[in-house]
Amino acid sequence: AQKITQTQPGMFVQEKEAVTLDCTYDTSDQSYGLFWYKQPSSGEMIFLIYQGSYDEQNATEGRYSLNFQKARKSANLVISASQLGDSAMYFCAMRAFMIKAAGNKLTFGGGTRVLVKP
Amino acid sequence: DGGITQSPKYLFRKEGQNVTLSCEQNLNHDAMYWYRQDPGQGLRLIYYSQIVNDFQKGDIAEGYSVSREKKESFPLTVTSAQKNPTAFYLCASSETGSTNEKLFFGSGTQLSVL
């Protein structure tokens, strides 16, 4: 079974500062993928960044970077130079490399709410 | 523009009534998914389909049913057997359902019980 834990229910961050959102995961699979999504108040889920378990380098996408520590089973999201539009819920998710017949579902954590202060 | 369309945005259900949530995608994706989100919580998988005329139960399928008669459509029916249906429902799709593919999401349907 897979489990994703996000221990920070909510955070404040000053505009233009960086913020780190924690994510730890538990899986017995050796091959898996980790995702971060952003959910603004409008409700849609916006993909931010992906990290494969065998990727040697940490993923980066613009102002988003993923601090992947495989031995510690953590995949923290770093948002640099926070903007007011970054205020939203952020979800960490994982998908294991199972055989296709068993499905490839995405398991989500409980989320972290980020509020950016001007 | 390609994307996923969910309708309606808001839906109200009377006790004992079945209601159907619509999800249509024009991304030509093979895999489609339904997730439920309760307030302040993460998403939980209800059903998913990796190909037309085939679907599998997710973690919380009881009280729900789906069909996948067309590639672009994956409607979700919330039956009267679902005793606590009030939640935000999100439909998603991905190209093939492979592990490194991101999911594309619709804008969601908020279901409430009258």
Side-chain angles (χ1 to χ4, degrees), chain B residues 74-89:
Chain B
F74 192 40
L76 173 74
T77 297
V78 184
T79 74
S80 57
Q82 173 50 246
K83 298 306 179 187
N84 184 22
T86 296
F88 188 58
Y89 292 85

Side-chain angles (χ1 to χ4, degrees), chain A residues 37 39 95 97 104-106, chain B residues 35 37 59 97-98 101 103:
Chain A
Y37 281 84
Q39 186 179 41
R95 175 187 268 160
F97 286 20
N104 285 312
K105 65 180 184 181
L106 208 59
Chain B
Y35 283 89
Q37 185 179 25
D59 298 319
S98 296
E101 289 178 350
L103 267 61

Side-chain angles (χ1 to χ4, degrees), chain A residues 53-68:
Chain A
S53 59
Y54 289 115
D55 293 342
E56 293 185 354
Q57 292 189 322
N58 287 343
T60 60
E61 290 283 350
R63 295 187 297 111
Y64 304 106
S65 61
L66 203 151
N67 183 2
F68 180 48

Side-chain angles (χ1 to χ4, degrees), chain A residues 32-33 35 37 39 42-47 50 89 91 95-98 100-111 113, chain B residues 9 33 35 37 40-45 48 50 56 58-59 88 90 94 96-108:
Chain A
Y32 47 88
F35 301 76
Y37 281 84
Q39 186 179 41
S42 54
E44 79 270 29
M45 298 285 284
I46 301 167
F47 168 77
Y50 167 81
M89 283 288 287
F91 291 95
R95 175 187 268 160
F97 286 20
M98 297 180 287
K100 198 160 188 176
N104 285 312
K105 65 180 184 181
L106 208 59
T107 300
F108 285 81
R113 182 172 297 280
Chain B
K9 191 168 180 65
Y33 312 80
Y35 283 89
Q37 185 179 25
Q41 297 186 30
L43 281 65
R44 292 182 291 167
L45 183 66
Y48 61 98
Q50 293 180 292
Q56 288 80 39
D59 298 319
F88 188 58
L90 283 158
S94 64
T96 64
S98 296
T99 45
N100 63 343
E101 289 178 350
K102 63 184 180 183
L103 267 61
F104 292 80
F105 283 85
S107 56

Side-chain angles (χ1 to χ4, degrees), chain A residues 6-66:
Chain A
Q6 296 180 251
T7 57
Q8 306 152 309
M11 304 180 68
F12 286 102
V13 58
Q14 199 67 42
E15 191 178 10
K16 298 181 184 177
E17 291 185 350
V19 61
T20 298
L21 308 183
D22 295 340
C23 172
T24 58
Y25 58 91
D26 188 19
T27 182
S28 56
D29 293 286
Q30 295 301 308
S31 298
Y32 47 88
L34 295 156
F35 301 76
W36 277 92
Y37 281 84
K38 170 184 178 181
Q39 186 179 41
S41 57
S42 54
E44 79 270 29
M45 298 285 284
I46 301 167
F47 168 77
L48 296 178
I49 197 166
Y50 167 81
Q51 177 85 42
S53 59
Y54 289 115
D55 293 342
E56 293 185 354
Q57 292 189 322
N58 287 343
T60 60
E61 290 283 350
R63 295 187 297 111
Y64 304 106
S65 61
L66 203 151

Side-chain angles (χ1 to χ4, degrees), chain B residues 63-83:
Chain B
Y64 301 96
S65 66
V66 294
S67 63
R68 187 85 188 276
E69 297 176 1
K70 298 186 296 182
K71 186 175 184 178
E72 60 269 24
S73 179
F74 192 40
L76 173 74
T77 297
V78 184
T79 74
S80 57
Q82 173 50 246
K83 298 306 179 187

